[in-house]
Amino acid sequence: MMYTNLKTVQIIIALLKKHNIKHLVISPGTRNTPLVHSVENDDFFVCYSIVDERSAGYFALGIAEALDVPVCVTCTAATATCNYLPAIKEAYERNICLVALTADRNQRFLYHMQDQSIDQVNMYGKYARHAVNLPELNAGNEKYSWYVEREVNEAFLELDHHVKGPVQINYEVIDLGNFSCEKLPEVRKISRHGIDCDWKKYADYLSKKKRILLICGQNHTDTEALSSEISKFEKKFNVVVSYDYFSNIYGENFLKLSNVVESLTSYDNGLIGCDLVISIGTQVWSGLKYSLVSKAQHWCVDPQGRLSDGFITLTDVFESTPLEFFKNINAYANGTNDHVYYNEWKNRLSKAVYPDLRFTNFYVIGQFVKNIPKDSILHLSILNSIRITNYFTLDPSVRVFGNLGCDGIDGPFSTFLGQACKTDKEAFLITGDLSFIYDINAAVDKISDNVHILVINNFAGAEFHKNFGLKQIPTLNTHIAASHHTKISQLSHLADFRYLSAENSQQLEEGIAEFIKPSQGPVILEVFTDADTDAAVLKRFWDVNKIYTKKSAFKKKVGKILRKLHLIG
């Protein structure tokens, strides 16, 4: 048995087998030959030949209805694919599982004199319950096979997600390849589980794991009940519970890993090399989502059953709220946490140190976090406001919010004002100068008396100074970092803000004491720092918290010397 050497087609075939989809109605053509010749020689598949694609679509529809299973149709590129539309529409109306496997030509030449070429991407529109478009994988982009696997899995999972219906998998076949592959690749099947799944089975599975990392993303509902259930979960399984302030959950043994996550090196592979990652909540701010691209299996808990494949190792999606998930798992748990994995992380966190913060945004946020009144709400704008706040210890009674979904500059101030006007609690915003100025239109109306705004003004976009710096790009401030000379004092009259400012640590101490006083009308505390110094101190914090093996430390030292001598880049 020999298969096509085209990797994308191999993945489609392998996942058809993983999802037990075996019936294919085939129409003749060139583009789908790599798929057709591969499946017709594999005894797993049942193949039917219908020349006319319109008839083939209806023929497949009949099989799918009779057996109540998904059935595939496959054809060549261009107008052949159009002929599936009537059957696709019928399948959509009657909730029948039909899979249109539409082979496509090189999409980069679409409308540029390529023969037999039409736009096939999502060509069935609203009549397909889901549509994916797959590139041809080759030596240059084969590392993205995880993406193709995820897309095909998602298409198959949508065949019967709450309601049955048709899907389209459009895949590029640029080079027809050959049939030299003896064995299909190992592929990752993603499964979705509903609230009625076998919870005991998954609890038993978890009990065998020694290194589970639970990553808690942004959340603002069921916070007390969820914290309680996660605490029970932590006691019963070998799990480290990782949170940041946007999670709004707290527990005795929960760990905030943000202090070291940007500093993880090869030395820390034992820590991040967990058996299983479980993610809950919406967006995850923590840099763990970048550090944990590993071989660890990933479970995602999502109320809508969405695939959130942030670590490119997703295998299971649990369609339930996090609270339901932990309640059901805890009901069948029968073990205890040996805290081996927990102690490894706790020991790593204990090594975190803070360099001299100077008078920077890092220092300013730290001083404010120490003094924020209990039982307040705190909104963080973007980037450093979020990042640095999580480096300090915030009172658990403070609820934290932010527009992490898009993490943009354009709406934090407005969002914060909307939250503040609907609460009796003292409301605080930490924002940078550009974000505040960008969203200043929100300040033209009446502002609630409970509003407190901390603006850290370094007269530029600080993130660009972190990413590049003036040494690398001398003209950085001209356009990229959008340097300006605006002081917020010039804008504070727009909504009758009380205005405070600070340019040194003594003024900051006095300013914060006045700034946090309750409900005396809206107030702004503007603190002036230097963008390049802000960036340098942040990078220093990450650097001093890196731990190296003797070998890697030596290599780092040699590299530093060679860079000074301009022998390497």
Side-chain angles (χ1 to χ4, degrees):
M1 183 189 308
M2 303 296 280
Y3 298 96
T4 175
N5 68 325
L6 302 183
K7 190 63 181 277
T8 297
V9 180
Q10 290 176 8
I11 291 171
I12 293 171
I13 296 168
L15 283 169
L16 283 168
K17 297 178 79 166
K18 288 273 188 181
H19 286 269
N20 199 33
I21 300 173
K22 58 179 60 181
H23 296 275
L24 286 93
V25 180
I26 299 165
S27 296
T30 300
R31 290 295 115 184
N32 61 333
T33 297
L35 173 72
V36 171
H37 188 52
S38 297
V39 297
E40 69 183 359
N41 287 320
D42 187 329
D43 292 339
F44 173 84
F45 295 102
V46 182
C47 298
Y48 313 83
S49 180
I50 303 289
V51 174
D52 183 284
E53 290 86 7
R54 181 174 176 276
S55 298
Y58 280 117
F59 186 84
L61 190 79
I63 297 172
E65 186 174 31
L67 300 179
D68 194 22
V69 297
V71 176
C72 300
V73 285
T74 174
C75 66
T76 191
T79 53
T81 61
C82 300
N83 294 315
Y84 288 149
L85 180 59
I88 293 286
K89 172 69 165 79
E90 186 73 17
Y92 177 84
E93 295 293 341
R94 293 172 53 203
N95 306 126
I96 295 173
C97 297
L98 209 59
V99 181
L101 298 171
T102 54
D104 204 350
R105 285 178 173 265
N106 190 335
Q107 294 167 11
R108 295 147 195 84
F109 288 105
L110 186 63
Y111 308 123
H112 290 275
M113 297 186 290
Q114 181 171 218
D115 295 335
Q116 292 186 319
S117 181
I118 64 170
D119 188 354
Q120 297 177 196
V121 178
N122 197 23
M123 64 185 299
Y124 306 117
K126 64 182 181 181
Y127 298 134
R129 297 201 64 247
H130 195 76
V132 298
N133 184 49
L134 309 178
E136 181 176 271
L137 295 174
N138 51 45
N141 67 354
E142 192 170 350
K143 64 181 179 180
Y144 296 114
S145 59
W146 61 267
Y147 168 77
V148 173
E149 288 180 11
R150 187 187 71 201
E151 292 289 280
V152 176
N153 269 293
E154 190 160 12
F156 290 157
L157 288 176
E158 289 304 311
L159 280 166
D160 59 355
H161 188 205
H162 297 306
V163 61
K164 294 180 179 180
V167 300
Q168 179 198 10
I169 297 175
N170 191 66
Y171 61 100
E172 273 190 329
V173 176
I174 300 170
D175 176 1
L176 293 174
N178 57 58
F179 297 92
S180 58
C181 176
E182 295 182 0
K183 185 180 179 182
L184 291 172
E186 287 297 321
V187 291
R188 171 174 52 121
K189 180 186 179 185
I190 301 175
S191 302
R192 185 188 281 121
H193 316 288
I195 197 68
D196 57 350
C197 70
D198 185 350
W199 292 104
K200 183 179 184 304
K201 170 184 170 184
Y202 298 107
D204 290 345
Y205 181 82
L206 290 175
S207 68
K208 296 180 176 65
K209 295 291 182 182
K210 293 295 184 183
R211 303 164 72 82
I212 303 168
L213 182 61
L214 170 60
I215 298 181
C216 302
Q218 191 169 23
N219 169 64
H220 63 275
T221 60
D222 300 322
T223 52
E224 290 186 21
L226 182 57
S227 295
S228 175
E229 286 299 328
I230 293 177
S231 292
K232 294 176 188 175
F233 179 77
E234 188 274 334
K235 288 179 173 65
K236 295 178 179 182
F237 297 97
N238 295 314
V239 61
V240 166
V241 179
S242 166
Y243 74 101
D244 59 30
Y245 291 133
F246 294 105
S247 309
N248 288 300
I249 62 154
Y250 296 92
E252 181 183 357
N253 290 326
F254 298 3
L255 297 179
K256 187 160 58 67
L257 306 185
S258 53
N259 285 27
V260 298
V261 74
E262 302 282 358
S263 305
L264 294 174
T265 66
S266 57
Y267 174 86
D268 299 297
N269 282 343
L271 290 178
I272 61 177
C274 50
D275 297 326
L276 172 67
V277 181
I278 302 175
S279 64
I280 66 169
T282 53
Q283 185 59 276
V284 173
W285 166 256
S286 169
L288 280 171
K289 63 185 178 184
Y290 305 114
S291 303
L292 263 174
V293 179
S294 68
K295 295 182 180 179
Q297 182 185 4
H298 175 204
W299 287 5
C300 169
V301 180
D302 183 86
Q304 297 177 52
R306 294 170 298 188
L307 276 67
S308 184
D309 190 24
F311 309 117
I312 65 174
T313 55
L314 182 67
T315 59
D316 295 85
V317 179
F318 291 85
E319 189 167 349
S320 72
T321 66
L323 184 60
E324 291 169 333
F325 175 83
F326 291 111
K327 276 186 175 180
N328 283 295
I329 290 290
N330 288 338
Y332 293 100
N334 55 13
T336 55
N337 191 342
D338 62 18
H339 284 99
V340 172
Y341 189 43
Y342 169 84
N343 287 331
E344 288 178 0
W345 268 113
K346 192 171 183 182
N347 180 57
R348 180 64 175 89
L349 288 169
S350 71
K351 292 180 169 61
V353 295
Y354 288 75
D356 178 8
L357 300 181
R358 304 167 71 178
F359 192 74
T360 58
N361 57 1
F362 205 138
Y363 175 83
V364 172
I365 291 173
Q367 294 303 305
F368 168 69
V369 167
K370 291 177 187 176
N371 290 280
I372 186 172
K374 293 182 178 181
D375 203 34
S376 304
I377 70 166
L378 175 61
H379 191 102
L380 304 174
S381 60
I382 64 169
L383 301 171
N384 278 327
S385 300
I386 296 169
R387 178 188 291 127
I388 295 173
T389 298
N390 274 284
Y391 291 153
F392 294 98
T393 301
L394 191 65
D395 189 275
S397 65
V398 177
R399 297 197 71 196
V400 183
F401 305 90
N403 291 349
L404 295 191
C406 297
D407 197 20
I409 195 175
D410 46 347
F413 180 35
S414 300
T415 306
F416 163 71
L417 291 179
Q419 291 168 333
C421 78
K422 293 301 179 184
T423 181
D424 295 328
K425 297 182 178 183
E426 297 304 310
F428 294 85
L429 169 70
I430 302 178
T431 182
D433 46 294
L434 290 188
S435 181
F436 184 74
I437 293 168
Y438 189 104
D439 202 15
I440 196 65
N441 285 337
V444 298
D445 205 351
K446 169 102 172 96
I447 305 295
S448 306
D449 288 345
N450 61 341
V451 163
H452 309 252
I453 301 169
L454 173 59
V455 182
I456 302 174
N457 191 351
N458 49 27
F459 300 103
E463 193 73 6
F464 306 105
H465 282 258
K466 176 187 76 69
N467 293 341
F468 307 108
L470 292 172
K471 286 185 180 179
Q472 185 176 346
I473 304 179
T475 59
L476 182 69
N477 281 329
T478 307
H479 298 108
I480 298 169
S483 176
H484 62 92
H485 302 286
T486 304
K487 292 186 177 182
I488 304 306
S489 58
Q490 300 167 245
L491 307 173
S492 60
H493 67 280
L494 285 176
D496 198 24
F497 282 99
R498 189 159 54 100
Y499 176 79
L500 307 168
S501 66
E503 296 186 32
N504 56 54
S505 56
Q506 179 63 35
Q507 291 177 0
L508 179 66
E509 183 180 347
E510 295 168 358
I512 287 177
E514 186 67 24
F515 175 66
I516 63 175
K517 288 181 179 178
S519 298
Q520 296 186 1
V523 57
I524 289 175
L525 172 57
E526 182 177 20
V527 185
F528 299 99
T529 65
D530 174 73
D532 240 26
T533 309
D534 289 347
V537 168
L538 179 61
K539 289 178 179 179
R540 178 65 179 154
F541 174 69
W542 293 339
D543 195 48
V544 299
N545 283 294
K546 289 181 179 177
I547 298 177
Y548 297 95
T549 60
K550 289 181 180 179
K551 182 178 178 181
S552 61
F554 176 75
K555 287 174 68 177
K556 181 176 182 248
K557 190 172 183 179
V558 170
K560 192 172 183 180
I561 294 170
L562 293 176
R563 273 188 290 275
K564 280 187 177 180
L565 296 173
H566 303 290
L567 296 178
I568 62 173

